[in-house]
Amino acid sequence: MPIHLRAEQGDYADAVLLPGDPLRAKYIADTYLDDVKQVNSERGLLGFTGTWEGKPVSVQGTGMGCPGATIVFEELIQLGCTKLMRVGTCGGLQSHHALGDLIVALTAVPADQTAMHLVGGEPHCPTASWELIHGAVHAAKEIGQPMHVGPIVSSDLFYNPNEGQYERWSQRGVLAVEMEAAALFTVTAIGGIGKTGGVHGGCLLTVSDIIVEGVFTRITDEELRAAVDRMTRVALATVTHD
């Protein structure tokens, strides 16, 4: 039994959705899954397993930031999970973004040391699993959900004192900033410390803020709930697709 996810083999499904907020994990489980059971509450990292359209799916909160989230990713792999899909929020960095837009992350600039520690400090480009990217794009198209597909950045700072940083990322074509995907892509690519093969990592993000040209705009709670619902439907269709 892992230290932080106090669960046994079989308690989690093969496919897991990973919101940062544990209460959002509970919301997703209560709203979308049938036959739900709670499988973890250790340290407030709420985890649930149920079914969606008859297929087993788990939802596990990760908390904020790569260091803590990496513990969750690693222990899920230890418990036999092979499809790990982050479903989170982000700050949009492009002027054509709108609040509530969906972003499918291809790669994540590791502006956080966790991913770099995992590869011994060598140059590294954390990249999502093509299987999950491809599936997410098709799932979004099927429900008519517009999306942006491309690179994001995983930062170890939410309140960033470097006012020019967001503009530089934007100019380089980075779509959004968040805090966990670079570690997820790296852990799943190497299969965790056990080097488990066949593990896939993906990331879908809802634009909850827009940080462009020195202006910060925040989504309303009602708009965020609707956007998260759309993202969740895309994520569930992706991870349960055979």
Side-chain angles (χ1 to χ4, degrees), residues 6-52:
R6 306 297 290 171
E8 302 285 354
Q9 293 286 334
D11 284 345
Y12 283 90
D14 178 66
V16 188
L17 302 192
L18 298 165
D21 184 354
L23 293 181
R24 187 168 292 148
K26 185 178 188 306
Y27 169 77
I28 291 172
D30 290 345
T31 304
Y32 289 97
L33 303 186
D34 296 320
D35 304 317
V36 176
K37 65 175 182 178
Q38 184 170 317
V39 292
N40 190 67
S41 62
E42 188 76 7
R43 298 193 177 219
L45 294 169
L46 302 181
F48 306 87
T49 295
T51 61
W52 185 74

Side-chain angles (χ1 to χ4, degrees), residues 7 11 22 43 48 57 77 85 101 110 127 131 144 146 159 222:
D11 284 345
R43 298 193 177 219
F48 306 87
V57 180
I77 293 172
M85 176 71 86
D101 279 1
T127 303
E131 174 182 303
Y159 295 105
E222 293 77 15

